[in-house]
Each structure stands twice: as C-alpha cells, then as structure tokens.
Amino acid sequence: MTSNAFSDLNIAVLLPCYNEGRSIAAVVLGFRKALPGARIFVYDNNSVDDTAQQAAFAGATVVPSRRQGKGNVVRQMFADIDADIYLMADGDGTYDPTAAPRMIQTLLDDRADMVVGTRRNVRQDAGRNGHAFGNRLFNSVYKALFGNEFTDIFSGYRAFTRRFAKSFPASSPGFEIETEMSVHASTLRLPVSEVEFDYGRRVEGSQSKLSTFRDGFRILRMMGMLMKETRPFLFFAYVATFLLATSIILMAPVIRDYLATGLVERLPTWVLAMVLMLASMMTLIAGTILDSVARGRAEQKRIFYLSIAPSRGEQYQTGATPFADRRQSDTLTARPAERGTGPR
C-alpha cells in the first residue's frame, strides 16, 4: 500500500490523552509516517505533565479538553472535527500506527461504518492480570447481551466513517465509551469489521489510567443501562423472573401449611409474596411497553444516520459517482443526436 493511497480522503487521527508525555511524541510521529496526508489531533484532558508540549513539538494539533473523562473527550472530538474518515487511538503507545492503513483499507473495502483493531496480546496488559480477566469476562457478557459482532469491545483503536461519528449519541463520561460505541453499532445493525494487530506495552515509567474494580463496575453499570435502553423487554424480563421466583419461594411454605391445617398462619409472608407477584407482572408489562418505545427510538436513530450525506470517503468506498456529477458526465459524453442537436 503506497503512502498516497488515501490522498483523496480527508482523514483525521484523534488521540485523547491524559498524562502521556512520555509516549505521545512517538505516537504522533508514528501516525504521521503511516498516514502522511492525515491531520493529527491530540486532545489534552487536563494533563499535568508535558503531554501538550510533546504533541505540539511532534507536529500534532493540540486541543484542550477540560471535562475530565475519555468519553467526554471523544464526544468533543466527534463534535469538533469534520472528516471523511476518523481514526481513534490512545496516546500510550500500545496501539501500532503501522496498522492504520490496513484499518482504513478494511473500512473502505468492507463498506463498514466502524473497524475495530482487536489486540492479540491483550492478556499482557502491562502485566495486570485483573485487566486480562476483566477483558475476557466483559466480552463474554457483551456477547450474551448484545451479540457476537465484536471480539474485543474495549479496544480504543478504531476507524469510523463520518456517518458513524456524527450520528453516535455518546453519553458515557469515561472508559466505558468503547462499550457504548459497540452497542450503538449492534443496535442499529451497522456494518462493522475487525483487524487484528499486536498489542504493545507501555513505555517505561508510564502507568495505566484504568482501575480494575472502579472502572470494571462502571462498565458493568453501563452495560446494564444500555441493555435497559436498547433491549428493555429482556432486561425487565430478568427482573420479573427474579421477583416471581422470590414470590414463589415465600409462597410455597404458606400454601403447604394451608393444605395441611386449613389456616394461613403466616399472613405477612403471604401478603409479601402476593405483592412480589404483582410487581413481577407489572414489571413484565412495563418491559413490553418500553420495548415498543425502544424500537421507535432505534428507528429514529437509523433515519438520522441515513439522513447524513455521504462523505467523500463513503463515495470512495462504494466506487460511486455523485448523481449530479454522473448526470453531467453522461451529458458531456453523449452523441450530438442524443443531446437533441438535430434539426428542430
């Protein structure tokens, strides 16, 4: 693949950073070499080291992002930058810049809206077993809840079309933003692809910003919230099943005693069991109603996604010529008789 293979595309490389002064310069230089024609933006999220200075020295455009959290930074990046193709990576040096042309080519060839760079050696994440276990656990949970389109939902190395970036309603404030991106693509059934690459290690002295338990809980909470918003019937069916099972457990000994003695000796327990059963029925009804609402919201999201005009990148990937240009070309190449130049 030649260095000018994407010369007709407006490509933006987006690097959200927080205290990555030790690695950001090498990352910027790596993407400048891999994608010579791309614009590189470093969004500095209140770093207290020399991240901004190192990024600017390496030739990137540095933009301050004051609202703390990766999700907040990504939301600002997608709102600020207009491009045909967006390539997002981290500034810690763990993502290989040489894989960027392959990801973009896959985006074009597969006519996908998002390409995820899946990590081969993610289990060696800075030597932290908690991250490796959490990655396997949450990927399994995601497949059970939302589908098996992705094998690495936490990868921050992704390529997007303009349609995806401008139609993605980001609401996550932190590291759970990748999960939200994946759920958004799964909910709207957008075309996605994956590219596998070697996962690098951080430079010496650099530390991961992830907290195994705190961020793990936040990601789990985000999955539950997204499940409630996108698949409410299944979510509330689980809740209704739990309430019904609890009701039956409380109800069983009361019924047994009644059949034996003809008396309801545990009236409070019986009342509680009936309340839980009614709550189970109401929860299931609520899930049924909210499922229709969720379907309507998904249709609105899809319509908005389709309303965004194709970018030059999308025209390139489909090999299509815009209708106006095609009509003009057909007119210019038509024979005189076909253009009505004969006797009047």
Side-chain angles (χ1 to χ4, degrees), residues 97-109:
T98 62
R102 187 156 50 102
M103 292 180 63
I104 294 176
Q105 192 63 51
T106 301
L107 188 79
L108 301 176
D109 292 343

Side-chain angles (χ1 to χ4, degrees), residues 261-310:
T261 65
L263 299 174
V264 179
E265 297 178 351
R266 305 178 187 180
L267 185 58
T269 303
W270 177 259
V271 172
L272 177 59
M274 293 304 297
V275 169
L276 290 176
M277 181 170 288
L278 290 174
S280 174
M281 296 172 60
M282 294 178 64
T283 301
L284 189 61
I285 293 172
T288 303
I289 296 173
L290 291 176
D291 187 68
S292 298
V293 176
R295 288 177 181 272
R297 292 181 58 191
E299 290 174 357
Q300 291 178 348
K301 289 181 181 179
R302 181 75 184 182
I303 292 173
F304 179 73
Y305 158 81
L306 293 173
S307 69
I308 299 176

Side-chain angles (χ1 to χ4, degrees), residues 19 25 73 75 81 86 118 126 145 147 158 168 174 177 187 245 259 264-265 268 271 283 292 308 330 344:
N19 291 343
V73 178
R75 183 162 47 250
I81 308 302
Y86 301 77
T118 60
L145 296 180
R158 303 182 180 225
F168 173 54
I177 186 67
T187 301
L259 294 176
V264 179
E265 297 178 351
V271 172
T283 301
S292 298
I308 299 176
D330 292 343
R344 297 183 180 180

Side-chain angles (χ1 to χ4, degrees), residues 11-23:
I11 301 175
V13 178
L14 309 179
L15 303 172
C17 290
Y18 174 64
N19 291 343
E20 302 292 359
R22 293 178 179 268
S23 57

